Amino acid sequence: MNMKSIFAAALSFSLLAACSPESKPVFDVDTQLNYCDAQIHRTLNELRNQDGVIDYTMVPRNIPDSLDTWHCRKTTKDEWCNGFWPGILWYAYEYTGNDSIKHEAEKFTEPLKFLSETPAYDHDLGFLVFCSYGNAYRLTKNPEYKKVILDTADSLATLFNPNVGTILSWPRNVEMYGGHNTIMDNMINLEMLFWASKNGGDKKLYDIAVSHAEKTMKYHFREDATSYHVAVYDTISGDFLYGCTHQGYADSSMWARGQAWAIYGYTVVYRETRDKRFLDFAQKVTDVYLSRLPEDYVPYWDFDDPSIPNAPRDASAACVVASALLELSSYVTDDKAEEYKNAAVKMLESLSSDAYQSRDAKPSFLLHSVGHKPAGSEIDASIIYADYYYIEALLRLKKTL
Ligand code: GLY
């Protein structure tokens, strides 16, 4: 037995085995996954009208702090979050094998098909189509789902600027920023390009994803490995012009979810390339994030908000990072594997406590995420992508036990 297996065995024991009579088992993944399943059924009931009919184009997006029912958004080209709810349903189907949940997952996935048939509006196609159709195909192998992913990957690739070497995130904002803009969130969209290149799509999609990851690694981070939210490049020369924020506290601050996207993104890039430069970098961006977390491992929305400790937390960032670390821990040396997996478990323990779970109060899984604080939007709210990465992380943890 090597160190990694010994550690995995010890962790499984500490998580699942009965403890002494005074101390209950610390964390039972199935309890949390069953909680998610129950909340999903509550949400589905809430989405039914008086005749029991669901409008599958209206998708849960958030529950503001002051409310207790989902605010839904219509599936349109500029709504970036509508892949998460079908993704949650696919994960729930994976866990429960419940065919009625599969049916709902199919129905909420279908309205996103148009994204594979229309010109790319912006970079969010990966979030939208890989969380929904990606999980749908992974679990069903339905060739129609595969076609949607492949066509959408081609569409996303049209935003790649070879002069710069990255994907343009927001075509609508080129004039405002004075150049080709790439946001850190865009790292998540690369997974669909890698997948497509290996599953019947154009091999150039792989090169685009690698180029994006390399250029981002070079310019999108400060010396200490904390990230800008937005990097702006000269559209013609490809030169890096400046870094700034959009959703963070300041241009120079570490916006929690931006850093979370970087951790998750570079973990995926290493998985797909096995290029050690990306593994080293994934660890670097992770280590600076972990070194600055508060005691419960759920970050403040921005690590540099001067109002900390009175600033809101961002549970969504913790969910993204917990999920990423459960993967990253499988690629690194034994001591780092232990550190990353312990950190992920600690994040999930906190998120699964009454401080963060919505429980009876709301049908979401979690409270306390922040969407866009500078715009005054989704502050201290339940947000659908927090729930998506939470259930993903729980399933990943379950698979390691
Ligand atoms: N712009 C995507 C996010 O809020 O993380």
Side-chain angles (χ1 to χ4, degrees):
M1 219 186 214
N2 64 22
M3 278 302 290
K4 216 176 265 183
S5 335
I6 292 168
F7 168 67
L11 183 70
S12 311
F13 182 80
S14 71
L15 290 173
L16 289 177
C19 298
S20 66
E22 307 85 57
S23 61
K24 290 213 158 69
V26 188
F27 188 72
D28 182 345
V29 189
D30 284 312
T31 300
Q32 309 315 328
L33 283 164
N34 289 332
Y35 160 75
C36 293
D37 186 48
Q39 298 296 84
I40 286 168
H41 282 91
R42 272 178 74 183
T43 295
L44 287 169
N45 282 337
E46 191 178 278
L47 295 177
R48 285 182 229 286
N49 69 13
Q50 287 161 336
D51 301 323
V53 175
I54 295 177
D55 176 353
Y56 291 103
T57 67
M58 292 298 288
V59 182
R61 162 73 189 249
N62 60 46
I63 308 178
D65 183 34
S66 55
L67 299 180
D68 58 11
T69 58
W70 283 105
H71 168 70
C72 293
R73 294 263 181 97
K74 187 95 181 154
T75 292
T76 54
K77 68 178 180 356
D78 55 351
E79 172 48 59
W80 78 278
C81 288
N82 281 11
F84 295 117
W85 171 245
I88 287 170
L89 292 168
W90 284 113
Y91 279 137
Y93 168 62
E94 181 177 6
Y95 177 61
T96 61
N98 181 335
D99 280 333
S100 73
I101 292 292
K102 182 184 182 200
H103 172 75
E104 300 301 346
E106 288 165 346
K107 298 300 278 183
F108 276 104
T109 296
E110 281 160 19
L112 293 161
K113 185 178 176 197
F114 81 98
L115 293 165
S116 69
E117 298 165 341
T118 44
Y121 173 72
D122 69 16
H123 74 120
D124 284 322
L125 290 170
F127 282 109
L128 284 159
V129 167
F130 212 59
C131 297
S132 55
Y133 279 90
N135 281 307
Y137 183 72
R138 183 175 63 80
L139 295 171
T140 66
K141 299 289 180 260
N142 178 339
E144 285 173 27
Y145 292 157
K146 182 176 185 176
K147 178 166 168 38
V148 171
I149 304 168
L150 292 176
D151 290 350
T152 311
D154 287 341
S155 179
L156 176 60
T158 63
L159 297 177
F160 181 71
N161 177 338
N163 299 338
V164 178
T166 71
I167 293 162
L168 173 63
S169 290
W170 291 323
R172 61 191 175 279
N173 288 344
V174 169
E175 201 177 325
M176 183 182 95
Y177 283 117
H180 171 104
N181 58 78
T182 296
I183 69 170
M184 186 48 63
D185 327 29
N186 205 147
M187 286 300 301
I188 305 300
N189 298 312
L190 304 185
E191 188 172 9
M192 181 169 70
L193 300 183
F194 282 122
W195 186 93
S197 75
K198 292 174 177 174
N199 287 276
D202 196 321
K203 299 291 173 232
K204 80 168 192 285
L205 299 172
Y206 180 95
D207 300 334
I208 287 174
V210 171
S211 167
H212 186 105
E214 281 174 337
K215 183 102 181 200
T216 298
M217 185 161 69
K218 189 160 179 193
Y219 293 110
H220 216 126
F221 294 84
R222 295 170 280 259
E223 273 296 297
D224 64 357
T226 64
S227 58
Y228 297 112
H229 186 191
V230 186
V232 181
Y233 301 96
D234 185 287
T235 301
I236 308 297
S237 70
D239 290 345
F240 174 71
L241 299 178
Y242 63 97
C244 61
T245 199
H246 177 68
Q247 283 163 257
Y249 173 75
D251 292 345
S252 59
S253 67
M254 179 160 63
W255 174 51
R257 199 165 51 260
Q259 196 72 14
W261 295 140
I263 293 167
Y264 194 111
Y266 279 98
T267 300
V268 169
V269 174
Y270 175 69
R271 179 219 298 155
E272 298 298 334
T273 62
R274 299 290 155 166
D275 181 333
K276 181 141 185 329
R277 288 175 307 146
F278 295 127
L279 180 62
D280 292 344
F281 197 66
Q283 291 186 245
K284 224 168 139 183
V285 297
T286 297
D287 290 346
V288 65
Y289 175 99
L290 293 180
S291 73
R292 295 182 57 190
L293 283 175
E295 206 174 324
D296 70 359
Y297 277 40
V298 179
Y300 294 95
W301 76 283
D302 188 303
F303 285 76
D304 296 299
D305 182 341
S307 64
I308 291 171
N310 298 315
R313 301 301 184 100
D314 182 16
S316 77
C319 296
V320 172
V321 174
S323 185
L325 291 188
L326 288 167
E327 178 171 1
L328 186 58
S329 63
S330 70
Y331 303 140
V332 293
T333 55
D334 292 340
D335 55 332
K336 288 306 270 187
E338 179 170 354
E339 179 192 338
Y340 291 160
K341 193 161 179 182
N342 279 341
V345 170
K346 187 151 182 189
M347 289 165 201
L348 289 172
E349 282 175 348
S350 289
L351 292 165
S352 304
S353 71
D354 61 1
Y356 290 96
Q357 280 189 339
S358 312
R359 301 195 177 174
D360 291 342
K362 305 186 188 202
S364 50
F365 304 159
L366 299 176
L367 307 166
H368 306 316
S369 290
V370 172
H372 193 333
K373 188 152 185 303
S377 133
E378 298 181 315
I379 298 169
D380 202 23
S382 293
I383 307 183
I384 196 68
Y385 45 80
D387 288 7
Y388 175 86
Y389 288 100
Y390 178 63
I391 193 170
E392 180 183 273
L394 291 170
L395 282 169
R396 285 184 174 187
L397 180 58
K398 184 172 170 62
K399 285 174 189 168
T400 70
L401 297 176

